[in-house]
Amino acid sequence: MSASEAGPQKRPRPLSPHLQIYRPEISSVLSVFHRGTGMVLTLGTLLLGWWVIAAAVGPDAYETAQRFLGSWLGLPMLFGWSVALFYHLCSGIRHLLWDAGWGYDLATMQKTGYAVLIGTGVLTLLAWIAGLVAW
Amino acid sequence: MTTSKDAPLRNPLARARGLGSARSGFQHWRTLRVTALALIPLTIWFVIAVIAHLGAPLPELRAWIGHPINAALFILFIAIGLHHGAHGMTEVYEDYIHGHHAKLIADLATKGAALFLGAAMIVSVLEIAIPG
């Protein structure tokens, strides 16, 4: 590049294809969700821990934990955690099948991908309907 | 490759600086997969158990946890789940935290928190399960 090059500033170009370039695909989106739900689950285990420890400590502590979990703040957290759990479970099984060597070709990969999304929805729906019935 | 047989093939500086394979990579990968396999039935059990006991009064919940099989499964779910989660977070840190010290602190803090939470939860279950 010669120093005498003047002219209009060129738009800085990305060094390698990145999020601005690639269209979201079932493969990449499900992969990042698998990681994201994993992180959410790890954090949510703190909530589960509080609930279990409260059950051991006594009725007052347990009452506080139950009230929070049923509150306008706690219930969405619980719902989010359950979605993350079912997603990570279905996506995890898909990963384990890959680890066993099955399902790498594109057509199968896309089918199992959609199966994960459908499975997550079905399991979440079933669990929460059962939960409302049991409540 | 640090055995004396292979040492002549490695650059001594690289060997001294600890570059190259960490050798325990497969164990980490395998731990994630084995814990994942165990967590499939455990998670299904846990979800069914939680739904069955939603809004149950505390004495009923404690009686259920007090049953040795339920207590054992609960403890396994907690321990294996936290182990799986901690190892998973290690992979996240390895991918996104580039500073050597920051990575180490994040990893040790997560593992420490998992240990603490696991111990507290297991002791809680045992306190409920063991009478007296």
Side-chain angles (χ1 to χ4, degrees):
Chain A
M1 267 247 257
S2 71
S4 61
E5 262 178 1
Q9 281 289 85
K10 280 205 161 144
R11 181 167 62 90
R13 297 183 178 274
L15 290 173
S16 62
H18 199 46
L19 292 173
Q20 323 92 304
I21 306 292
Y22 271 123
R23 181 182 66 201
E25 305 275 355
I26 193 91
S27 51
S28 54
V29 170
L30 262 56
S31 173
V32 71
F33 275 7
H34 188 77
R35 176 162 277 192
T37 52
M39 296 197 281
V40 163
L41 286 173
T42 306
L43 276 171
T45 310
L46 288 164
L47 218 61
L48 177 69
W50 176 27
W51 181 77
V52 171
I53 296 168
V57 165
D60 286 334
Y62 184 67
E63 186 57 44
T64 311
Q66 285 282 85
R67 225 172 333 116
F68 176 78
L69 286 172
S71 71
W72 61 270
L73 186 58
L75 213 55
M77 285 173 121
L78 205 59
F79 183 75
W81 194 82
S82 74
V83 172
L85 186 68
F86 291 130
Y87 177 88
H88 199 83
L89 176 66
C90 295
S91 182
I93 293 173
R94 185 168 174 244
H95 266 281
L96 286 171
L97 289 169
W98 283 335
D99 288 335
W102 179 87
Y104 280 103
D105 61 284
L106 268 178
T108 310
M109 183 276 292
Q110 279 167 349
K111 274 194 225 132
T112 53
Y114 286 111
V116 164
L117 290 173
I118 294 170
T120 303
V122 166
L123 285 172
T124 307
L125 211 64
L126 282 175
W128 281 84
I129 288 175
L132 282 164
V133 165
W135 184 267
Chain B
M1 294 214 254
T2 53
T3 61
S4 55
K5 261 194 296 170
D6 305 302
L9 290 173
R10 287 193 68 193
N11 182 313
L13 181 60
R15 197 166 130 245
R17 294 171 87 184
L19 300 175
S21 166
R23 301 167 68 90
S24 62
F26 175 65
Q27 188 51 42
H28 182 262
W29 181 95
R30 189 189 203 211
T31 301
L32 266 176
R33 270 69 183 172
V34 170
T35 51
L37 275 170
L39 281 169
I40 294 174
L42 281 169
T43 303
I44 295 170
W45 169 86
F46 175 74
V47 168
I48 295 174
V50 162
I51 292 174
H53 292 86
L54 276 176
L58 187 57
E60 186 187 316
L61 180 76
R62 289 175 69 109
W64 174 79
I65 291 183
H67 192 292
I69 299 292
N70 294 323
L73 286 172
F74 208 106
I75 287 173
L76 281 174
F77 177 71
I78 293 166
I80 297 178
L82 283 169
H83 199 52
H84 181 87
H87 274 62
M89 289 310 291
T90 301
E91 285 203 343
V92 173
Y93 301 147
E94 278 174 6
D95 279 350
Y96 301 135
I97 301 181
H98 304 297
H100 180 75
H101 299 102
K103 195 197 303 260
L104 188 66
I105 290 170
D107 193 40
L108 289 178
T110 306
K111 288 184 165 138
L115 265 175
F116 170 66
L117 196 63
M121 288 169 85
I122 290 171
V123 166
S124 296
V125 172
L126 288 173
E127 273 193 16
I128 295 174
I130 297 175

